[in-house]
Amino acid sequence: MCLGIPGRVVEIHVEEGRGALMGKVDFAGVRKDVCLAYVPDIRVGEYTIVHVGFAITRIDEASAEETLRTFHALG
């Protein structure tokens, strides 16, 4: 089973030397570098599902918050 985690995009940039679209994504206070190549139209403030360092889809804020509440309830 694979698990994708929702997070909010807080920064977008192009990686020097490689040209990859990258960003910082906030996961409830923890910020990670994430590849945004699969969601090139995503904007700062939007939510995405991230799996193994790659943003794989954009989701709305309500869905992201519901998923995060479920994860929190599960411990």
Side-chain angles (χ1 to χ4, degrees), residues 2-74:
C2 296
L3 183 63
I5 308 294
R8 187 175 61 85
V9 178
V10 295
E11 177 185 311
I12 297 173
H13 61 275
V14 175
E15 187 177 51
E16 271 188 56
R18 298 173 98 177
L21 186 63
M22 299 292 291
K24 289 230 183 266
V25 177
D26 185 281
F27 301 95
V30 176
R31 292 183 176 194
K32 298 284 187 176
D33 289 320
V34 171
C35 179
L36 302 175
Y38 296 137
V39 287
D41 58 341
I42 200 157
R43 302 287 178 239
V44 169
E46 293 182 318
Y47 285 80
T48 183
I49 297 290
V50 177
H51 177 67
V52 294
F54 289 85
I56 56 176
T57 190
R58 180 180 30 226
I59 61 170
D60 62 83
E61 184 175 0
S63 296
E65 289 176 354
E66 179 181 348
T67 301
L68 291 171
R69 279 192 302 274
T70 301
F71 287 162
H72 182 71
L74 293 171

